[in-house]
Amino acid sequence: MLTISCESPGSLVAHDRPRPERAPGDVLLRVRRVGVCGTDLHIFTGNQPYLAYPRVMGHELSGVVEAADADSGLQPGDPVYVTPYLSCGDCIACRQGKPNCCTRIQVLGVHRDGAFTEFVSVPRRFVGKADGITLDQAAMLEFLAIGAHAVRRGDVTAGQRVLVVGSGPIGLGTMLFAHLRGATVTALDGRLDRLDVARQHAGATHTVSLGDGDEAELARLTDSEFFDVVFDATGNRQAMERGFRFVAHGGRYVLVSIVQGDISFSDPEFHKREATLLSSRNATTEDFETVMAAMRQGLVPDTALATHRLALADVPTGFARLLDPTEGVIKAIVEC
C-alpha cells in the first residue's frame, strides 16, 4: 500500500508497505480522507515537541470499514471516523473521564504512524460511525472537536464576550462553537484573509488586525473591561504571554495551542483579576458528538473551510505549498 512518511523535517518520502494485519478487537479501515493539521505542518517543519522521526503523519481521518469483528457493530463498507487519541483506559486521567490527556496517550500521526497511507488498523473503541455526514465532514471532525472542547473547557455561556487569538483552523473552530453557545466573538489575527473567514464563516462579530492600536481597539469593543473568556490558538509564545492582558477581571484564559519551552506572566496582574488559567488538550467523544450534531444541522461551514485538496500520491511534492500564506489554506484534505 502507498504510504507517505516524514523521514526528517522537510523530507516526505513515498513507500510501498504491506497492508497492516488486523488484531482481534481492531478495525481495519481503508483510509478515504485525511485533513492536514497544524500538527502535521509542525512535524514537517521540525517544530513538534512530542515526536520522533521518521513518522507517518495524519490524524484527521475518515474511511470505510474493510474488516471488523463480527460483534463490533460495524460492517465492511460502513463510513467511519477515528478518534486519534489512543488512550490506555486505566490511568488517572482515563479514570476521571479525560482520555484526551491520558498519561500514556498515543496519538495517531504523532506518537505512532498515522493515516497518510491506504489502510490503518485501530482499536474498535476509537472508531465511530459517520452517520449523516460526508467523508469530507468526517475528516474535519477532529480539528473542530478541539475547538468545541476548548469552548467547553472555557465554560462559555450566552452573552459573554469571547476573544480568540489566532484564526487558523483551531481558532476558527473555537470561534464557531463559542458563537453557537451565544457568545459575542472577537477574532484577533495578523492575516486579513483569515479575519475575513472568521467574520464570514465562523461567527466572529468583530475582527481586529494585529498591530499598532489593536489593544486600544479591543478595549473600545469592551468598554475597557476586556473579555470574559480568551482563547489562544496561535502556537506563539509571545502571543500566549500577551493574551493575559486581554482577560477581564474574573475571566478565564484558555491555552489551546502549545509551544516548546516555558511561558510567563505577571503574577500581580493575574491575581488582581482572580483570573483562571486553563489548558485545553485534544478532545473527547462528547466533543466529536457535539460537532457531528452541528454538522447534521447544517451549522458548520465545512465546504468553506476545506479550501485545498491533493491526492495521497502528490503529498511529497505538494505538501510544502500548504505552508505558503499566499495559498490561503484553511483546511487541506488529502484524498486516498
Side-chain angles (χ1 to χ4, degrees), residues 235-329:
N236 179 280
R237 181 177 62 82
Q238 289 80 12
M240 293 165 77
E241 293 179 343
R242 187 178 186 230
F244 283 89
R245 288 154 49 179
F246 306 140
V247 181
H249 282 242
R252 298 178 292 284
Y253 189 23
V254 184
L255 300 180
V256 193
S257 62
I258 183 172
V259 293
Q260 296 194 50
D262 300 333
I263 64 169
S264 61
F265 56 89
S266 167
D267 189 56
E269 286 293 326
F270 184 71
H271 269 81
K272 81 178 185 182
R273 301 171 196 225
E274 199 180 50
T276 300
L277 177 61
L278 296 158
S279 62
S280 181
R281 188 179 186 195
N282 300 328
T284 66
T285 299
E286 178 181 343
D287 305 306
F288 277 75
E289 291 173 348
T290 295
V291 177
M292 279 197 293
M295 284 178 167
R296 292 182 187 120
Q297 295 175 62
L299 300 175
V300 176
D302 51 279
T303 55
L305 298 178
T307 55
H308 290 66
R309 291 179 179 275
L310 66 165
L312 180 63
D314 295 333
V315 168
T317 56
F319 193 84
R321 74 182 178 92
L322 302 179
L323 291 159
D324 184 353
T326 65
E327 286 281 336
V329 178

Coordinates of all heavy atoms in Angstrom, one line a residue, residues 235-329:
G235 N -0.1 29.2 18.8 CA 1.2 28.4 18.8 C 2.4 29.3 18.9 O 3.5 29.0 18.5
N236 N 2.2 30.5 19.4 CA 3.3 31.5 19.5 C 3.5 32.0 21.0 O 2.5 32.4 21.6 CB 3.0 32.7 18.6 CG 4.0 33.8 18.6 OD1 4.0 34.6 19.6 ND2 4.9 33.8 17.6
R237 N 4.7 31.8 21.5 CA 4.9 32.1 22.9 C 4.6 33.6 23.2 O 4.0 33.9 24.3 CB 6.4 31.8 23.3 CG 6.7 32.0 24.8 CD 8.1 31.6 25.1 NE 9.1 32.4 24.3 CZ 9.5 33.6 24.7 NH1 9.0 34.2 25.8 NH2 10.4 34.3 24.0
Q238 N 5.0 34.5 22.4 CA 4.8 35.9 22.7 C 3.3 36.2 22.7 O 2.8 37.0 23.6 CB 5.5 36.8 21.7 CG 7.0 36.8 21.8 CD 7.7 35.6 21.2 OE1 7.1 34.8 20.5 NE2 9.0 35.4 21.5
A239 N 2.6 35.7 21.8 CA 1.1 35.9 21.8 C 0.5 35.3 23.0 O -0.4 35.9 23.6 CB 0.6 35.3 20.5
M240 N 0.9 34.1 23.4 CA 0.3 33.5 24.6 C 0.6 34.3 25.8 O -0.3 34.5 26.7 CB 0.9 32.1 24.8 CG 0.5 31.1 23.6 SD 1.5 29.6 23.6 CE 0.9 28.7 24.9
E241 N 1.8 34.9 26.0 CA 2.0 35.7 27.1 C 1.3 37.0 27.1 O 0.8 37.5 28.1 CB 3.5 36.0 27.2 CG 4.4 34.7 27.5 CD 5.8 35.0 27.6 OE1 6.3 36.0 27.1 OE2 6.5 34.1 28.1
R242 N 1.1 37.6 25.9 CA 0.4 38.9 25.7 C -1.1 38.7 26.0 O -1.7 39.6 26.5 CB 0.6 39.4 24.3 CG 0.0 40.8 24.1 CD 0.3 41.3 22.7 NE -0.1 42.7 22.5 CZ -0.9 43.1 21.5 NH1 -1.3 42.2 20.6 NH2 -1.2 44.4 21.5
G243 N -1.6 37.5 25.7 CA -3.1 37.3 25.9 C -3.6 37.5 27.3 O -4.8 37.8 27.5
F244 N -2.7 37.3 28.3 CA -3.1 37.6 29.7 C -3.7 39.0 29.9 O -4.6 39.2 30.7 CB -2.0 37.3 30.7 CG -1.6 35.9 30.9 CD1 -0.7 35.2 30.1 CD2 -2.2 35.2 31.9 CE1 -0.4 33.9 30.3 CE2 -1.9 33.9 32.2 CZ -1.0 33.2 31.4
R245 N -3.2 39.9 29.1 CA -3.6 41.3 29.3 C -5.1 41.5 28.8 O -5.7 42.5 29.2 CB -2.7 42.2 28.5 CG -1.4 42.3 29.1 CD -0.2 42.7 28.1 NE -0.5 43.8 27.2 CZ 0.4 44.2 26.3 NH1 1.6 43.6 26.2 NH2 0.1 45.2 25.5
F246 N -5.6 40.6 28.0 CA -7.0 40.8 27.5 C -8.0 40.1 28.3 O -9.2 40.1 27.9 CB -7.0 40.3 26.0 CG -5.9 40.9 25.2 CD1 -5.2 40.1 24.2 CD2 -5.6 42.2 25.3 CE1 -4.2 40.7 23.4 CE2 -4.6 42.8 24.5 CZ -3.9 42.1 23.6
V247 N -7.7 39.5 29.4 CA -8.6 38.7 30.2 C -9.3 39.7 31.2 O -8.6 40.5 31.9 CB -7.9 37.6 31.0 CG1 -9.0 36.8 31.9 CG2 -7.2 36.6 30.1
A248 N -10.6 39.7 31.2 CA -11.3 40.6 32.2 C -11.1 40.1 33.6 O -10.7 39.0 33.9 CB -12.8 40.5 31.8
H249 N -11.4 41.0 34.5 CA -11.4 40.7 35.9 C -12.4 39.6 36.1 O -13.6 39.7 35.7 CB -11.7 41.9 36.8 CG -10.5 42.8 37.0 ND1 -10.0 43.1 38.2 CD2 -9.8 43.5 36.1 CE1 -8.9 43.9 38.1 NE2 -8.8 44.2 36.8
G250 N -12.0 38.5 36.8 CA -12.9 37.3 37.0 C -13.0 36.4 35.7 O -13.7 35.5 35.8
G251 N -12.2 36.7 34.7 CA -12.3 36.0 33.5 C -11.4 34.7 33.4 O -10.7 34.4 34.4
R252 N -11.5 34.1 32.3 CA -10.8 32.8 32.0 C -9.9 32.9 30.8 O -10.3 33.5 29.8 CB -11.8 31.7 31.9 CG -12.6 31.4 33.1 CD -13.6 30.3 33.0 NE -14.7 30.7 32.1 CZ -15.7 31.5 32.3 NH1 -15.8 32.1 33.5 NH2 -16.7 31.7 31.4
Y253 N -8.7 32.3 30.9 CA -7.8 32.2 29.8 C -7.5 30.8 29.4 O -7.1 30.0 30.3 CB -6.5 33.0 30.1 CG -5.5 33.2 29.0 CD1 -5.9 33.2 27.7 CD2 -4.2 33.4 29.3 CE1 -5.0 33.4 26.6 CE2 -3.3 33.6 28.2 CZ -3.7 33.7 26.9 OH -2.8 33.9 25.9
V254 N -7.8 30.4 28.2 CA -7.7 29.0 27.8 C -6.6 28.9 26.7 O -6.7 29.5 25.6 CB -9.0 28.5 27.2 CG1 -8.9 27.0 26.9 CG2 -10.1 28.7 28.2
L255 N -5.5 28.2 27.0 CA -4.4 28.0 26.1 C -4.7 26.7 25.3 O -4.6 25.6 25.8 CB -3.1 27.8 26.8 CG -2.7 29.0 27.7 CD1 -1.4 28.8 28.4 CD2 -2.6 30.3 26.9
V256 N -5.1 26.9 24.0 CA -5.4 25.8 23.2 C -4.2 25.3 22.4 O -4.0 24.2 22.2 CB -6.5 26.1 22.1 CG1 -7.1 24.9 21.4 CG2 -7.7 26.9 22.8
S257 N -3.3 26.3 22.1 CA -2.1 26.0 21.4 C -1.0 25.6 22.4 O -1.1 25.7 23.6 CB -1.6 27.2 20.6 OG -1.4 28.3 21.4
I258 N 0.1 25.1 21.8 CA 1.2 24.6 22.6 C 2.5 25.0 22.0 O 2.6 25.1 20.7 CB 1.2 23.1 22.8 CG1 2.3 22.6 23.7 CG2 1.2 22.3 21.4 CD1 2.2 21.1 24.0
V259 N 3.5 25.4 22.8 CA 4.8 25.7 22.3 C 5.8 24.9 23.1 O 5.6 24.5 24.2 CB 5.1 27.2 22.4 CG1 4.2 28.0 21.5 CG2 4.9 27.7 23.8
Q260 N 7.0 24.8 22.5 CA 8.1 24.2 23.2 C 8.7 25.2 24.2 O 8.8 26.4 23.8 CB 9.2 23.7 22.3 CG 8.8 22.6 21.3 CD 9.9 22.0 20.6 OE1 10.9 21.6 21.2 NE2 9.8 21.8 19.3
G261 N 8.9 24.8 25.4 CA 9.5 25.8 26.4 C 8.5 26.3 27.3 O 7.3 25.9 27.4
D262 N 8.9 27.4 28.0 CA 8.1 28.0 29.1 C 7.4 29.3 28.6 O 7.9 29.9 27.7 CB 9.0 28.4 30.3 CG 9.7 27.2 30.9 OD1 9.2 26.0 30.8 OD2 10.8 27.3 31.4
I263 N 6.3 29.6 29.3 CA 5.7 30.9 29.1 C 5.6 31.5 30.5 O 5.6 30.8 31.5 CB 4.3 30.8 28.5 CG1 3.3 30.1 29.4 CG2 4.3 30.2 27.1 CD1 1.9 30.2 28.9
S264 N 5.5 32.9 30.5 CA 5.5 33.6 31.8 C 4.4 34.6 31.8 O 4.0 35.0 30.7 CB 6.8 34.2 32.2 OG 7.2 35.1 31.2
F265 N 4.0 35.1 33.0 CA 3.0 36.2 33.1 C 3.2 36.9 34.4 O 3.9 36.5 35.3 CB 1.6 35.6 33.0 CG 1.3 34.5 34.0 CD1 0.8 34.9 35.2 CD2 1.5 33.2 33.7 CE1 0.5 33.9 36.2 CE2 1.2 32.2 34.7 CZ 0.7 32.6 35.9
S266 N 2.6 38.1 34.4 CA 2.7 39.0 35.6 C 1.8 38.4 36.7 O 0.6 38.4 36.5 CB 2.3 40.4 35.3 OG 2.1 41.1 36.4
D267 N 2.4 38.0 37.8 CA 1.6 37.4 38.9 C 0.7 38.5 39.5 O -0.5 38.2 39.8 CB 2.6 36.8 39.9 CG 1.8 36.0 41.0 OD1 1.0 35.1 40.6 OD2 1.9 36.3 42.2
P268 N 1.2 39.7 39.8 CA 0.2 40.7 40.3 C -1.0 40.9 39.4 O -2.1 41.0 39.9 CB 1.1 41.9 40.5 CG 2.5 41.4 40.6 CD 2.5 40.2 39.7
E269 N -0.8 41.0 38.1 CA -1.9 41.2 37.2 C -2.8 40.0 37.2 O -4.1 40.2 37.2 CB -1.4 41.5 35.8 CG -0.8 42.8 35.5 CD -1.8 43.9 35.6 OE1 -3.0 43.7 35.3 OE2 -1.5 45.0 36.1
F270 N -2.3 38.8 37.3 CA -3.1 37.6 37.3 C -3.9 37.5 38.5 O -5.1 37.2 38.5 CB -2.1 36.4 37.2 CG -2.8 35.1 37.0 CD1 -3.5 34.7 35.9 CD2 -2.7 34.2 38.1 CE1 -4.1 33.5 35.8 CE2 -3.4 32.9 38.0 CZ -4.0 32.6 36.8
H271 N -3.3 37.9 39.7 CA -4.0 37.7 40.9 C -5.1 38.8 41.1 O -6.2 38.5 41.6 CB -3.0 37.8 42.1 CG -2.5 36.4 42.5 ND1 -1.5 35.8 41.8 CD2 -2.9 35.6 43.5 CE1 -1.3 34.6 42.4 NE2 -2.2 34.5 43.4
K272 N -4.8 40.0 40.7 CA -5.7 41.1 41.0 C -7.0 40.9 40.1 O -8.1 41.3 40.5 CB -5.1 42.5 40.7 CG -5.1 42.9 39.2 CD -4.5 44.3 39.1 CE -4.5 44.8 37.7 NZ -3.9 46.2 37.5
R273 N -6.9 40.1 39.0 CA -8.1 39.8 38.2 C -8.8 38.5 38.7 O -9.8 38.2 38.2 CB -7.7 39.7 36.8 CG -7.0 40.9 36.2 CD -6.5 40.6 34.8 NE -5.5 41.7 34.5 CZ -5.5 42.3 33.3 NH1 -6.3 42.0 32.3 NH2 -4.6 43.3 33.1
E274 N -8.1 37.8 39.6 CA -8.6 36.5 40.0 C -8.9 35.7 38.8 O -10.0 35.1 38.6 CB -9.8 36.5 41.0 CG -10.0 35.2 41.7 CD -11.1 35.1 42.7 OE1 -12.2 35.5 42.3 OE2 -10.9 34.7 43.8
A275 N -8.0 35.7 37.8 CA -8.2 35.0 36.6 C -8.0 33.5 36.7 O -7.3 33.0 37.6 CB -7.2 35.5 35.5
T276 N -8.6 32.8 35.8 CA -8.5 31.3 35.8 C -7.7 31.0 34.5 O -8.1 31.4 33.4 CB -9.9 30.6 35.7 OG1 -10.6 31.0 36.9 CG2 -9.7 29.1 35.6
L277 N -6.6 30.2 34.7 CA -5.8 29.8 33.5 C -6.1 28.3 33.3 O -6.0 27.5 34.2 CB -4.3 30.0 33.8 CG -3.3 29.5 32.8 CD1 -3.5 30.2 31.5 CD2 -1.9 29.7 33.3
L278 N -6.4 27.9 32.0 CA -6.7 26.6 31.7 C -5.9 26.2 30.4 O -5.7 27.0 29.5 CB -8.2 26.5 31.3 CG -9.2 26.7 32.5 CD1 -10.6 27.1 31.9 CD2 -9.3 25.5 33.4
S279 N -5.5 24.9 30.4 CA -5.1 24.3 29.1 C -6.2 23.5 28.6 O -7.1 23.1 29.3 CB -3.8 23.4 29.4 OG -4.2 22.3 30.2
S280 N -6.1 23.3 27.2 CA -7.1 22.5 26.6 C -6.4 21.6 25.6 O -5.8 22.1 24.6 CB -8.1 23.4 25.8 OG -9.1 22.6 25.2
R281 N -6.5 20.3 25.8 CA -5.8 19.4 25.0 C -6.7 18.4 24.3 O -7.6 17.8 24.9 CB -4.8 18.5 25.9 CG -3.9 17.7 25.0 CD -2.9 16.9 25.9 NE -1.9 16.2 25.0 CZ -1.1 15.2 25.3 NH1 -1.1 14.8 26.6 NH2 -0.3 14.7 24.5
N282 N -6.5 18.3 23.0 CA -7.3 17.3 22.2 C -8.8 17.5 22.4 O -9.3 18.6 22.4 CB -6.8 15.9 22.6 CG -5.3 15.7 22.3 OD1 -4.8 16.3 21.4 ND2 -4.7 14.8 23.1
A283 N -9.5 16.4 22.4 CA -11.0 16.4 22.5 C -11.4 15.0 23.0 O -10.7 14.1 23.1 CB -11.6 16.7 21.2
T284 N -12.7 15.0 23.4 CA -13.3 13.7 23.9 C -14.4 13.3 22.9 O -14.9 14.1 22.1 CB -13.8 13.8 25.3 OG1 -14.9 14.8 25.3 CG2 -12.7 14.4 26.2
T285 N -14.9 12.1 23.2 CA -16.1 11.6 22.4 C -17.2 12.6 22.4 O -17.9 12.9 21.4 CB -16.5 10.3 22.9 OG1 -15.5 9.3 22.8 CG2 -17.7 9.7 22.1
E286 N -17.5 13.2 23.6 CA -18.5 14.2 23.7 C -18.4 15.4 22.8 O -19.3 15.8 22.2 CB -18.6 14.7 25.2 CG -19.6 15.8 25.4 CD -19.6 16.3 26.8 OE1 -19.0 15.7 27.7 OE2 -20.2 17.4 27.1
D287 N -17.1 15.8 22.6 CA -16.9 16.9 21.7 C -17.1 16.5 20.2 O -17.6 17.3 19.4 CB -15.4 17.4 21.9 CG -15.2 17.8 23.3 OD1 -16.0 18.6 23.9 OD2 -14.2 17.3 23.9
F288 N -16.6 15.3 19.8 CA -16.9 14.8 18.5 C -18.4 14.7 18.2 O -18.9 15.1 17.1 CB -16.3 13.4 18.3 CG -14.8 13.4 18.0 CD1 -13.9 13.7 19.0 CD2 -14.4 13.2 16.7 CE1 -12.5 13.7 18.7 CE2 -13.0 13.2 16.4 CZ -12.1 13.5 17.4
E289 N -19.2 14.3 19.2 CA -20.6 14.2 19.0 C -21.2 15.6 18.9 O -22.2 15.8 18.2 CB -21.2 13.4 20.2 CG -20.8 12.0 20.2 CD -21.3 11.2 21.4 OE1 -21.7 11.9 22.4 OE2 -21.2 10.0 21.4
T290 N -20.7 16.6 19.6 CA -21.2 17.9 19.5 C -21.0 18.5 18.1 O -21.9 19.1 17.5 CB -20.4 18.9 20.5 OG1 -20.7 18.5 21.9 CG2 -20.8 20.3 20.3
V291 N -19.8 18.2 17.5 CA -19.5 18.7 16.2 C -20.4 17.9 15.2 O -21.0 18.6 14.2 CB -18.0 18.5 15.8 CG1 -17.8 18.9 14.4 CG2 -17.1 19.3 16.8
M292 N -20.6 16.6 15.3 CA -21.4 15.9 14.4 C -22.9 16.4 14.4 O -23.5 16.5 13.4 CB -21.4 14.4 14.7 CG -20.2 13.7 14.1 SD -20.4 11.9 14.0 CE -20.4 11.5 15.8
A293 N -23.4 16.7 15.6 CA -24.7 17.2 15.7 C -24.8 18.5 15.0 O -25.8 18.8 14.3 CB -25.1 17.3 17.2
A294 N -23.8 19.4 15.1 CA -23.9 20.7 14.5 C -23.8 20.5 12.9 O -24.4 21.2 12.2 CB -22.7 21.6 15.0
M295 N -23.0 19.5 12.5 CA -22.9 19.3 11.1 C -24.2 18.8 10.5 O -24.6 19.3 9.4 CB -21.8 18.2 10.8 CG -20.4 18.7 10.9 SD -19.2 17.4 10.6 CE -17.7 18.4 10.4
R296 N -24.9 17.9 11.2 CA -26.1 17.4 10.7 C -27.2 18.5 10.6 O -28.1 18.4 9.8 CB -26.6 16.3 11.6 CG -25.8 15.0 11.6 CD -26.3 13.9 12.5 NE -25.4 12.8 12.5 CZ -24.9 12.3 13.6 NH1 -25.1 12.9 14.8 NH2 -24.1 11.3 13.6
Q297 N -27.1 19.5 11.5 CA -28.0 20.7 11.5 C -27.6 21.7 10.5 O -28.3 22.8 10.3 CB -28.1 21.3 12.8 CG -28.7 20.4 13.9 CD -28.6 21.0 15.3 OE1 -29.2 22.1 15.5 NE2 -27.9 20.4 16.2
G298 N -26.5 21.5 9.7 CA -26.0 22.5 8.8 C -25.4 23.7 9.4 O -25.3 24.8 8.7
L299 N -24.9 23.6 10.6 CA -24.3 24.8 11.3 C -22.8 24.9 11.1 O -22.2 25.9 11.6 CB -24.6 24.7 12.8 CG -26.1 24.6 13.2 CD1 -26.3 24.4 14.7 CD2 -26.8 25.9 12.7
V300 N -22.2 24.0 10.4 CA -20.7 24.0 10.3 C -20.4 24.3 8.8 O -20.8 23.5 7.9 CB -20.1 22.7 10.7 CG1 -18.6 22.7 10.4 CG2 -20.4 22.4 12.2
P301 N -19.7 25.4 8.5 CA -19.4 25.7 7.1 C -18.2 24.9 6.5 O -17.2 25.5 6.1 CB -19.1 27.2 7.2 CG -18.4 27.3 8.5 CD -19.1 26.3 9.4
D302 N -18.4 23.6 6.5 CA -17.3 22.8 6.1 C -16.8 23.0 4.7 O -15.6 22.9 4.4 CB -17.6 21.3 6.3 CG -18.9 20.9 5.7 OD1 -20.0 21.2 6.2 OD2 -18.9 20.3 4.6
T303 N -17.7 23.3 3.8 CA -17.2 23.5 2.4 C -16.4 24.7 2.3 O -15.5 24.8 1.4 CB -18.4 23.5 1.4 OG1 -19.3 24.5 1.9 CG2 -19.1 22.1 1.4
A304 N -16.7 25.8 3.1 CA -15.9 27.0 3.0 C -14.6 26.8 3.7 O -13.6 27.4 3.3 CB -16.7 28.1 3.7
L305 N -14.5 25.9 4.7 CA -13.2 25.7 5.4 C -12.3 24.8 4.6 O -11.0 24.9 4.8 CB -13.5 25.2 6.8 CG -14.3 26.1 7.7 CD1 -14.6 25.4 9.1 CD2 -13.6 27.4 7.9
A306 N -12.8 23.8 3.9 CA -12.0 22.9 3.1 C -11.5 23.6 1.8 O -12.2 23.5 0.8 CB -12.7 21.6 2.8
T307 N -10.4 24.3 1.9 CA -10.0 25.1 0.8 C -9.1 24.5 -0.3 O -9.0 24.9 -1.4 CB -9.3 26.4 1.3 OG1 -8.2 25.9 2.1 CG2 -10.2 27.3 2.1
H308 N -8.4 23.4 0.1 CA -7.4 22.8 -0.7 C -7.5 21.3 -0.7 O -7.9 20.7 0.3 CB -6.0 23.2 -0.3 CG -5.7 24.6 -0.6 ND1 -6.3 25.7 0.0 CD2 -4.8 25.2 -1.5 CE1 -5.9 26.8 -0.4 NE2 -4.9 26.6 -1.3
R309 N -7.2 20.6 -1.8 CA -7.2 19.2 -1.9 C -5.9 18.7 -2.6 O -5.4 19.4 -3.5 CB -8.4 18.7 -2.7 CG -9.7 18.9 -2.0 CD -10.9 18.4 -2.8 NE -12.1 18.6 -2.1 CZ -12.6 17.7 -1.2 NH1 -12.0 16.6 -1.0 NH2 -13.7 18.0 -0.5
L310 N -5.5 17.5 -2.3 CA -4.4 16.9 -3.0 C -4.5 15.4 -2.8 O -5.0 14.9 -1.8 CB -3.0 17.4 -2.6 CG -2.4 17.1 -1.2 CD1 -0.9 17.4 -1.3 CD2 -3.1 18.0 -0.2
A311 N -4.0 14.6 -3.8 CA -4.1 13.2 -3.7 C -2.9 12.7 -2.8 O -1.9 13.3 -2.7 CB -4.0 12.6 -5.1
L312 N -3.1 11.5 -2.3 CA -2.1 11.0 -1.4 C -0.7 10.9 -2.1 O 0.3 11.2 -1.6 CB -2.5 9.6 -0.9 CG -1.5 8.8 0.0 CD1 -1.3 9.6 1.3 CD2 -2.0 7.4 0.3
A313 N -0.8 10.4 -3.4 CA 0.5 10.3 -4.2 C 1.2 11.6 -4.4 O 2.4 11.6 -4.6 CB 0.2 9.6 -5.5
D314 N 0.4 12.7 -4.3 CA 1.0 14.0 -4.6 C 1.5 14.7 -3.3 O 2.1 15.8 -3.4 CB 0.0 14.9 -5.2 CG -0.4 14.4 -6.6 OD1 0.4 13.8 -7.3 OD2 -1.6 14.7 -7.1
V315 N 1.4 14.1 -2.2 CA 1.8 14.7 -0.9 C 3.3 15.0 -0.9 O 3.7 16.2 -0.5 CB 1.4 13.8 0.3 CG1 2.1 14.3 1.6 CG2 -0.1 13.8 0.5
P316 N 4.2 14.2 -1.3 CA 5.6 14.5 -1.2 C 6.0 15.8 -2.0 O 6.8 16.6 -1.6 CB 6.3 13.3 -1.8 CG 5.4 12.2 -1.6 CD 4.1 12.7 -1.7
T317 N 5.3 16.0 -3.1 CA 5.7 17.2 -3.9 C 4.8 18.4 -3.7 O 5.2 19.5 -3.9 CB 5.6 16.9 -5.5 OG1 4.3 16.4 -5.7 CG2 6.6 15.8 -5.8
G318 N 3.6 18.2 -3.2 CA 2.6 19.2 -3.0 C 2.4 19.8 -1.6 O 1.8 20.8 -1.4
F319 N 3.0 19.1 -0.6 CA 2.8 19.4 0.8 C 3.3 20.8 1.2 O 2.7 21.6 1.9 CB 3.3 18.4 1.7 CG 2.9 18.4 3.1 CD1 1.7 17.9 3.5 CD2 3.6 19.1 4.1 CE1 1.2 17.9 4.8 CE2 3.2 19.2 5.4 CZ 2.0 18.6 5.8
A320 N 4.5 21.1 0.7 CA 5.2 22.3 1.1 C 4.4 23.6 0.8 O 4.5 24.6 1.5 CB 6.6 22.4 0.5
R321 N 3.7 23.5 -0.3 CA 2.9 24.8 -0.7 C 1.8 25.1 0.3 O 1.3 26.2 0.4 CB 2.4 24.6 -2.1 CG 1.2 23.7 -2.2 CD 0.7 23.6 -3.7 NE -0.4 22.7 -3.9 CZ -1.7 23.0 -3.8 NH1 -2.0 24.3 -3.6 NH2 -2.6 22.1 -4.0
L322 N 1.4 24.1 1.2 CA 0.4 24.4 2.1 C 0.9 25.3 3.2 O 0.1 25.9 4.0 CB -0.1 23.0 2.8 CG -0.6 22.0 1.8 CD1 -1.0 20.7 2.6 CD2 -1.8 22.5 1.0
L323 N 2.2 25.5 3.3 CA 2.8 26.4 4.3 C 2.8 27.8 3.7 O 3.2 28.8 4.5 CB 4.2 26.0 4.6 CG 4.3 24.7 5.5 CD1 5.7 24.1 5.3 CD2 4.0 25.0 6.9
D324 N 2.5 28.0 2.5 CA 2.7 29.4 1.8 C 1.4 30.2 2.2 O 0.3 29.9 1.7 CB 2.8 29.2 0.3 CG 3.0 30.5 -0.4 OD1 3.0 31.5 0.2 OD2 3.3 30.4 -1.6
P325 N 1.6 31.3 2.9 CA 0.4 32.1 3.2 C -0.3 32.6 2.0 O -1.5 32.9 2.1 CB 1.1 33.3 4.0 CG 2.3 32.8 4.5 CD 2.8 31.8 3.5
T326 N 0.4 32.8 0.9 CA -0.3 33.3 -0.3 C -1.3 32.3 -0.9 O -2.1 32.6 -1.7 CB 0.7 33.7 -1.4 OG1 1.4 32.6 -1.9 CG2 1.7 34.8 -0.9
E327 N -1.2 31.0 -0.5 CA -2.1 30.0 -1.0 C -3.5 30.1 -0.3 O -4.5 29.6 -0.8 CB -1.5 28.6 -0.7 CG -0.4 28.2 -1.6 CD -0.8 27.7 -2.9 OE1 -2.0 27.3 -3.0 OE2 0.0 27.8 -3.9
G328 N -3.6 30.8 0.8 CA -4.8 31.0 1.5 C -5.4 29.7 2.1 O -6.7 29.5 2.1
V329 N -4.6 28.8 2.5 CA -5.0 27.5 3.0 C -5.7 27.7 4.4 O -5.2 28.3 5.3 CB -3.9 26.5 3.2 CG1 -4.4 25.2 3.7 CG2 -3.2 26.3 1.8

